[in-house]
Amino acid sequence: MGRVQAAGAGSGDGSDGRNAEADRDEGFESVEYGVEKRTLSYAEYGDAGGEPLVVLHGTPGSRLLGELFDEGARERGVRVLAPDRPGFGRSSAWSGRRPTDAGTWFEALLTDAGVSTTSVAAFSGGSVDGLSLAATRGDLVDRLDVVSGAAPPSIARETPRLQRTLGRAAARTPSLLGAALRGQTWLATRGSPSTVVGQYTDEPGDTPTEVAELVRRDFVESCARSRNGAVTELSWVVEGWGFDVADVDSPVALWHGERDANVPISDARRLCDRLSAGQLRRLDDDHLTTLLTSRSDVLDRIAPRD
């Protein structure tokens, strides 16, 4: 395992050929891991000397999502580590990756950051890796907050039709889905933030301008160089996760909106019922606004006590 400063583009498919000098100006770190020498990139937010929290982005998503926690983390003495999961952003592609592989890249992240154990906040599709880590590498996870999180296919009885369609496309025709995501990324790069924000909230016009722009940049960064991560994780919507959420021993708080159209709250209830130490916290919000509403409470659970 070796440390790399701001690894350049070209990790995975879809490289845009930017040079390492330009990358270094964007404030992220990268580390090599595994015998394949893959690269994992991550950004830091909040208090550099604070209590650690790993923020896992959605699907698609990137390390940029961690910026939503930056101000609150600084105020509370929390150090936020926000990785690009494999195949997203600046991290190397990993064909055939499964949720149970999460411990490999996660341990590399913690080692590079000098952290032994950490709290984890997983948003939307990031909940798959978050729950996998809690189930298979509980030695690394102190507690888990799942925000607007997906449920395993075995208990997700009300997955919206669009999500199922994307999942089947990812599993059966990944190259076609990758091409579609590339086109969507092109449009998001040139269009209004509302073209992206509308996928996550029922009221994109009410989203603060700076948040809407961040969500747009997060989506573009996630798929601009490679669609491998998004296609891989979308296939998990219809495929088994390879672990039992009942094996999660860490405390898990499920923050979920009553108006979430991406992941209906009924699926979150079933997920909570399978967890030995789960607590469902219901909010009067949708998919994105649940993240915005809950982030202060998530940080409060981690902030050091006097």
Side-chain angles (χ1 to χ4, degrees):
M1 184 184 305
R3 189 182 179 98
V4 179
Q5 287 289 332
S11 57
D13 59 281
S15 168
D16 67 359
R18 296 182 61 176
N19 61 40
E21 186 61 36
D23 290 340
R24 273 195 290 273
D25 294 335
E26 300 195 18
F28 66 93
E29 303 287 347
S30 294
V31 58
E32 288 184 349
Y33 66 99
V35 296
E36 300 85 358
K37 298 296 183 182
R38 295 189 178 97
T39 297
L40 183 84
S41 296
Y42 65 97
E44 293 201 33
Y45 302 95
D47 182 351
E51 292 292 318
L53 167 68
V54 173
V55 172
L56 301 181
H57 58 73
T59 307
S62 78
R63 68 192 182 281
L64 301 184
L65 190 75
E67 187 177 332
L68 287 176
F69 290 81
D70 185 49
E71 183 177 355
R74 291 179 188 275
E75 294 171 352
R76 293 167 175 81
V78 175
R79 178 190 183 191
V80 174
L81 302 172
D84 287 330
R85 293 196 298 281
F88 293 99
R90 308 301 177 103
S91 291
S92 299
W94 183 341
S95 298
R97 175 169 61 97
R98 300 292 300 147
T100 49
D101 294 317
T104 303
W105 59 261
F106 190 79
E107 185 171 23
L109 166 68
L110 297 195
T111 299
D112 195 61
V115 173
S116 56
T117 64
T118 183
S119 298
V120 176
F123 172 61
S124 192
S127 68
V128 185
D129 277 344
L131 289 163
S132 175
L133 288 165
T136 65
R137 291 305 308 270
D139 57 312
L140 302 178
V141 178
D142 295 324
R143 69 181 68 184
L144 174 63
D145 286 273
V146 172
V147 182
S148 305
S154 59
I155 62 176
R157 299 173 187 168
E158 298 187 36
T159 302
R161 179 178 298 176
L162 176 59
Q163 306 290 345
R164 293 197 303 271
T165 300
L166 291 173
R168 287 192 292 268
R172 300 172 185 174
T173 56
S175 60
L176 291 179
L177 180 58
L181 286 169
R182 185 173 185 174
Q184 192 174 9
T185 303
W186 187 90
L187 292 173
T189 302
R190 293 156 178 79
S192 164
S194 63
T195 61
V196 177
V197 176
Q199 301 175 42
Y200 304 106
T201 178
D202 296 332
E203 300 174 345
D206 294 339
T207 305
T209 301
E210 66 278 10
V211 172
E213 175 58 21
L214 174 59
V215 170
R216 184 192 69 81
R217 289 193 294 114
D218 178 61
F219 177 84
V220 171
E221 176 66 10
S222 74
C223 292
R225 293 164 184 79
S226 172
R227 276 61 61 192
N228 171 269
V231 171
T232 295
E233 294 192 3
L234 285 170
S235 72
W236 299 346
V237 173
V238 295
E239 296 176 347
W241 288 1
F243 67 94
D244 191 340
V245 295
D247 292 334
V248 174
D249 293 325
S250 306
V252 181
L254 301 171
W255 305 84
H256 216 93
E258 294 277 6
R259 298 184 287 109
D260 193 328
N262 295 50
V263 183
I265 195 168
S266 55
D267 284 346
R269 292 193 192 98
R270 282 186 284 273
L271 172 58
C272 189
D273 289 343
R274 294 288 298 275
L275 296 168
S276 61
Q279 182 179 18
L280 179 60
R281 304 192 176 192
R282 297 161 58 177
L283 304 174
D284 184 25
D285 289 297
D286 59 30
H287 198 67
L288 176 61
T289 54
T290 292
L291 174 63
L292 302 180
T293 300
S294 66
R295 55 185 163 166
S296 293
D297 291 319
V298 169
L299 290 168
D300 284 340
R301 282 161 46 86
I302 299 158
R305 302 287 192 267
D306 292 332

